[in-house]
Amino acid sequence: MRAEQMSVEQKVGQILMIGYQTMDIPAEMEAWIKQHQIGNVILFSRNISTPEETYERMRVLQVWAREAKQPYPLFITTDQENGVVTRLQKGATRFPGAMAIAATGNPDNARLIYQATGEELRASGISVNFAPTIDVNLNPLNPVIGVRSFGEAPEYVAQFGKAAVHGLLCSGVVPAVKHFPGHGDTSTDSHEEMPILRHDRRRLMEAELVPFQHCIEAGVPMVMIGHISLPLIDASGSPASISTEIVTGILRDKLGFQGVAITDCLEMSAIAGSIGVPEAAVRAIQAGIDMVLVSHSQDIQQKTWARLMQAIHHGEISLQRLNEAVARVAQLKKRFLSWEGCLAAKGLSFDRERHEEIAEDILSQAVTLVKNENQLLPLAKNTHPLGVVFPGVTNLTSAEEKLSLSDKLVEPLRKYGQVNGYFLSSLDPSESEVERIATEVADSNIVVVFTYNAHIYKGQALCVRKLKQSGKKVVAVALRNPYDLTAFPEVDAFLAGYDHGKKAIEVIIDVLFGERQAVGKLPVTVH
């Protein structure tokens, strides 16, 4: 069906994407799909169980869309970046994230990981992945990107980004690269407030836009636009997601992107705390965006739908601009979706054992030995009791899942000898807790401290330095950003693991004791 043949309700349904709050599909979703013709749904971990169970739920949504005589099946989407942003968990493979993949030095590993990721998404009834993240991480203190990026070198990020895009395309899943025009040099999280980048066009073309240019040339069909203000590009200070100068002027005209442009969630504080979600939705479509994302609140979704309808009826959004957006979405759906596929009795199967092998192999290739004074590593087995300190891991941004480390992670260490283990109560322990740690590991000549953004959380850095000052040999292992070494350069040995999943820590422990070799290379500079 051509855009010109659709009703206004059908058109708005194709340019609006919504989410819901529960695992079971709430009753109002049937009304959204049948009465409002909503054609796009985003899932978070709150909505996702096993692939099989998730597929069954998504099939219900697709049945409703078919019964409503929607012109195309629904786009079902999620953010399966892997690593710290992992929506599929139960019954799915925990794959390493972008920086871990990049540390292997082999872009083909990105293709492998993202093709396998796509297979698991397809098995769950999910057709669009808001990944890969191709932001160039140029700011070590970036609070929201970090290990979600492939690194700090634009061309390097571009090579891994292209490979990831190809992997998802090979699996039949739509990749959506993000966060255009680049969130990697920010010091602010757009979930909390508006990041401002004072870069001009020349700087953008030399750094932030390089991976986007490569991925567009490689045929990426969807780009997610971030809520980032670039006042040297758009003097109004408007975020990229609602800026004609950035969406049309740079993404469309300069880079030549003709696919679907979608906003990041408009309920983020960068938007919701300023002009508000409904008004931002209208301005985004006016700016050249094809689809707006409202992930959480049903009340805000209702107001946004009503405001879009009003803007169309009053001519604030021209029919030409509306039809252009709808046509792009429709073209992408025709390419990737079919009613037969979306209504099949069950999702596609995938090779779980092979996926686990891929994940473990790439985690093993990623571990990077950055420092090793006096050849302290590998550690000797079954000698003195080994002191071990784990950080109090939690999610650092609202984009991430709430994860913590289990005391069961001490068990892989015990196969190599006696362990004095200690888990910090938080990411930023107090001086008194640091003193207690020193007492807990007093009998250990060597202490392994697992860190988690210790370059930002000074209590962790204090712990490492305190142990070093007490005369112990200290091995620090970064479970997230490798910039941690800058907080304690005097440490005896330093490993970068880039991941705090159970399998990643088991791999790191094997490296500590020489059962595996550390062959990774830093994708970022650690001064």
Side-chain angles (χ1 to χ4, degrees):
M1 180 185 292
R2 291 170 54 84
E4 292 79 5
Q5 298 172 307
M6 297 183 194
S7 66
V8 174
E9 288 80 1
Q10 286 176 319
K11 291 177 183 180
V12 172
Q14 293 303 310
I15 65 171
L16 178 60
M17 179 178 291
I18 66 172
Y20 55 93
Q21 293 287 337
T22 55
M23 183 70 72
D24 290 328
I25 302 168
E28 59 264 20
M29 285 301 294
E30 184 172 8
W32 269 118
I33 291 170
K34 290 186 175 180
Q35 295 174 23
H36 289 337
Q37 293 281 305
I38 290 296
N40 312 285
V41 177
I42 184 171
L43 304 182
F44 293 85
S45 55
R46 67 193 182 207
N47 313 119
I48 298 173
S49 50
T50 66
E52 295 80 8
E53 291 166 346
T54 303
Y55 181 86
E56 283 300 313
R57 291 189 178 94
M58 296 309 99
R59 186 175 181 276
V60 169
L61 296 180
Q62 298 288 10
V63 167
W64 289 342
R66 184 65 163 170
E67 290 174 350
K69 295 182 170 51
Q70 288 208 21
Y72 308 102
L74 308 174
F75 267 149
I76 308 291
T77 75
T78 196
D79 302 88
Q80 188 69 4
E81 297 176 21
N82 299 316
V84 297
V85 180
T86 297
R87 306 296 188 223
L88 275 67
Q89 295 182 29
K90 186 178 179 182
T93 309
R94 193 184 192 285
F95 291 111
M99 194 171 287
I101 299 169
T104 70
N106 183 0
D108 194 52
N109 285 333
R111 182 193 60 78
L112 278 173
I113 287 288
Y114 281 89
Q115 183 168 345
T117 298
E119 290 169 4
E120 300 197 7
L121 290 169
R122 288 283 303 278
S124 305
I126 297 170
S127 49
V128 178
N129 191 11
F130 293 140
T133 298
I134 57 172
D135 302 302
V136 182
N137 201 76
L138 292 163
N139 183 357
L141 297 179
N142 192 315
V144 67
I145 303 300
V147 290
R148 297 168 65 190
S149 164
F150 290 110
E152 68 183 11
E155 290 289 342
Y156 196 74
V157 172
Q159 294 307 311
F160 281 86
K162 282 196 303 182
V165 165
H166 286 147
L168 285 167
L169 289 173
C170 286
S171 73
V173 167
V174 177
V177 293
K178 60 187 183 185
H179 305 80
F180 185 87
H183 212 317
D185 199 20
T186 63
S187 56
T188 303
D189 180 356
S190 55
H191 293 87
E192 307 299 332
E193 58 182 300
M194 181 91 71
I196 299 175
L197 283 182
R198 303 191 184 280
H199 298 333
D200 59 16
R201 289 175 184 267
R202 179 178 177 181
R203 157 57 195 259
L204 290 176
M205 290 302 297
E206 291 174 348
E208 280 82 2
L209 296 180
V210 170
F212 290 99
Q213 180 74 79
H214 278 267
C215 287
I216 289 167
E217 291 171 356
V220 70
M222 186 179 286
V223 174
M224 176 175 277
I225 318 299
H227 309 310
I228 306 158
S229 174
L230 290 97
L232 297 184
I233 307 297
D234 184 339
S236 73
S238 296
S241 50
I242 61 173
S243 168
T244 302
E245 286 85 348
I246 295 172
V247 177
T248 298
I250 295 180
L251 180 62
R252 299 292 190 198
D253 297 342
K254 181 67 175 178
L255 301 188
F257 180 64
Q258 295 303 313
V260 172
I262 182 171
T263 67
D264 207 340
C265 180
L266 294 179
E267 291 182 83
M268 291 181 180
S269 294
I271 293 293
S274 54
I275 68 170
V277 176
E279 195 62 33
V282 172
R283 288 180 57 181
I285 300 299
Q286 291 171 335
I289 293 286
D290 304 305
M291 192 183 295
V292 293
L293 173 58
V294 186
S295 303
H296 306 293
S297 167
Q298 184 184 2
D299 178 60
I300 294 175
Q301 291 163 356
Q302 292 277 6
K303 291 176 179 176
T304 302
W305 181 87
R307 181 68 182 97
L308 286 168
M309 293 289 292
Q310 178 190 53
I312 293 165
H313 286 306
H314 290 178
E316 296 172 76
I317 296 174
S318 70
L319 280 179
Q320 179 182 357
R321 173 78 272 273
L322 176 63
N323 288 341
E324 177 186 59
V326 172
R328 286 196 181 114
V329 174
Q331 183 178 20
L332 193 58
K333 287 190 172 185
K334 285 189 285 188
R335 177 181 169 189
F336 282 90
L337 302 180
S338 70
W339 286 115
E340 180 183 14
C342 292
L343 298 176
K346 62 179 182 178
L348 300 176
S349 60
F350 60 90
D351 190 336
R352 296 174 187 271
E353 184 176 343
R354 178 175 172 273
H355 287 187
E356 291 289 347
E357 290 172 354
I358 291 172
E360 181 174 347
D361 179 50
I362 292 172
L363 285 168
S364 181
Q365 293 179 48
V367 179
T368 307
L369 181 60
V370 182
K371 184 178 183 182
N372 190 21
E373 286 191 354
N374 301 316
Q375 301 301 302
L376 178 59
L377 298 180
L379 299 174
K381 304 169 188 175
N382 299 309
T383 54
H384 302 286
L386 181 68
V388 180
V389 180
F390 282 102
V393 169
T394 186
N395 57 310
L396 302 186
T397 77
S398 57
E400 303 171 28
E401 308 308 319
K402 293 182 179 180
L403 300 172
S404 60
L405 297 184
S406 165
D407 55 10
K408 292 180 181 179
L409 294 175
V410 176
E411 291 304 315
L413 285 157
R414 291 197 171 117
K415 70 180 180 180
Y416 294 113
Q418 186 178 345
V419 176
N420 292 331
Y422 188 93
F423 280 77
L424 299 177
S425 60
S426 72
L427 285 171
D428 203 10
S430 64
E431 290 189 28
S432 60
E433 185 173 13
V434 169
E435 293 292 341
R436 288 198 301 274
I437 294 168
T439 301
E440 290 280 342
V441 298
D443 294 336
S444 302
N445 295 329
I446 300 174
V447 181
V448 178
V449 183
F450 291 88
T451 64
Y452 200 80
N453 278 15
H455 68 299
I456 295 175
Y457 296 98
K458 304 306 181 184
Q460 292 181 59
L462 175 65
C463 177
V464 174
R465 293 196 301 270
K466 180 75 174 179
L467 292 169
K468 178 61 181 169
Q469 291 164 5
S470 71
K472 299 185 184 302
K473 298 290 186 183
V474 179
V475 180
V477 180
L479 296 180
R480 190 162 172 140
N481 287 299
Y483 306 114
D484 287 4
L485 181 59
T486 62
F488 36 72
E490 68 271 32
V491 74
D492 296 284
F494 183 79
L495 282 174
Y498 315 97
D499 194 295
H500 68 276
K502 179 176 180 292
K503 180 57 66 177
I505 293 177
E506 290 174 353
V507 166
I508 290 166
I509 290 168
D510 286 345
V511 170
L512 286 171
F513 287 93
E515 292 298 311
R516 301 176 192 252
Q517 298 299 307
V519 297
K521 297 180 180 180
L522 285 172
V524 293
T525 302
V526 177
H527 295 291

